[in-house]
Amino acid sequence: ELKVEQNPLFLSMQEGKNYTIYCNYSTTSDRLYWYRQDPGKSLESLFVLLSNGAVKQEGRLMASLDTKARLSTLHITAAVHDLSATYFCAASSLLQGGSEKLVFGKGMKLTVNP
Amino acid sequence: GAGVSQSPSNKVTEKGKDVELRCDPISGHTALYWYRQRLGQGLEFLIYFQGNSAPDKSGLPSDRFSAERTGESVSTLTIQRTQQEDSAVYLCASSSTDTTLNYGYTFGSGTRLTVV
């Protein structure tokens, strides 16, 4: 059974600082997703990582995937207050017929302080 | 529509009553998912629809939960004889083969269900 773990689950950091958060998954997965959720809002897709060594960047966020280690990282550069949110990673496995299940981690609540 | 639409946005119901939650996916999206998010938790898979194929119901927690989807249109999630542990936000997501690889799934804003 595919399981996804994120750490840390809570992070408080100062503006301008850098930090890396981690997402481990337990079995082979074909894709890795990162989502952002603001309080009371739905999930916003950030990154889709499709293969080993994939790296994607958007603004101050950069995500990478190591399928051999079953690990994805989300690196935050020079954090700003607007990045405060909960970040979820989700791993997937392709099923017969091309369908796919996503298994989510518990999420990491990030607070960026001025 | 431009996004995934869910209704109602909030629902308070008495224990033992039945509730029906609705999801309007993005037009043309063949895949539709229902997830449940309990307070402070990650998302829990409930059910998956892909076109006209038989749905994957493996995540439904009990036989009180059921869902339907007609073709590639609206889906309804029904919870019978609601219990307090059913209180959660129920999220719907849709995607198509073309969009998943680049953009992932598009989630609706969810229905917050409170069972009192």
Side-chain angles (χ1 to χ4, degrees), chain B residues 37-83:
Chain B
Q37 185 178 27
R38 290 196 166 113
L39 186 64
Q41 300 295 310
L43 277 71
E44 175 188 6
F45 168 77
L46 296 178
I47 189 169
Y48 163 79
F49 295 91
Q50 173 64 52
N52 292 314
S53 302
D56 184 332
K57 305 179 181 180
S58 60
L60 294 178
S62 77
D63 58 9
R64 295 187 295 106
F65 288 72
S66 63
E68 292 183 349
R69 186 185 187 197
T70 304
E72 297 179 358
S73 62
V74 171
S75 175
T76 55
L77 176 69
T78 302
I79 308 173
Q80 295 178 309
R81 306 181 301 282
T82 53
Q83 303 294 314

Side-chain angles (χ1 to χ4, degrees), chain A residues 62-78:
Chain A
M62 183 173 71
S64 66
L65 179 62
D66 181 345
T67 58
K68 294 179 181 177
R70 298 177 185 162
L71 170 69
S72 180
T73 61
L74 183 66
H75 185 73
I76 303 163
T77 301

Side-chain angles (χ1 to χ4, degrees), chain A residues 5-109:
Chain A
E5 290 189 357
Q6 292 184 239
N7 73 83
L9 296 182
F10 298 92
L11 175 62
S12 180
M13 59 188 299
Q14 285 186 312
E15 281 190 329
K17 298 294 186 181
N18 304 331
Y19 203 85
T20 299
I21 59 179
Y22 299 90
C23 173
N24 291 89
Y25 51 97
S26 60
T27 64
T28 301
S29 178
D30 299 289
R31 300 172 190 166
L32 197 292
Y33 299 79
W34 284 96
Y35 284 88
R36 168 182 172 146
Q37 186 178 39
D38 292 290
K41 304 291 187 181
S42 190
L43 280 76
E44 173 191 353
S45 179
L46 294 175
F47 301 108
V48 182
L49 302 170
L50 301 176
S51 60
N52 188 43
V55 177
K56 289 193 175 180
Q57 182 164 5
E58 181 72 33
R60 300 173 187 274
L61 300 177
M62 183 173 71
S64 66
L65 179 62
D66 181 345
T67 58
K68 294 179 181 177
R70 298 177 185 162
L71 170 69
S72 180
T73 61
L74 183 66
H75 185 73
I76 303 163
T77 301
V80 293
H81 179 69
D82 285 351
L83 290 180
S84 298
T86 299
Y87 293 85
F88 290 94
C89 68
S92 79
S93 57
L94 291 177
L95 303 174
Q96 191 174 19
S99 62
E100 176 185 54
K101 282 186 181 180
L102 290 187
V103 177
F104 281 80
K106 291 186 176 181
M108 186 212 71
K109 185 174 181 179

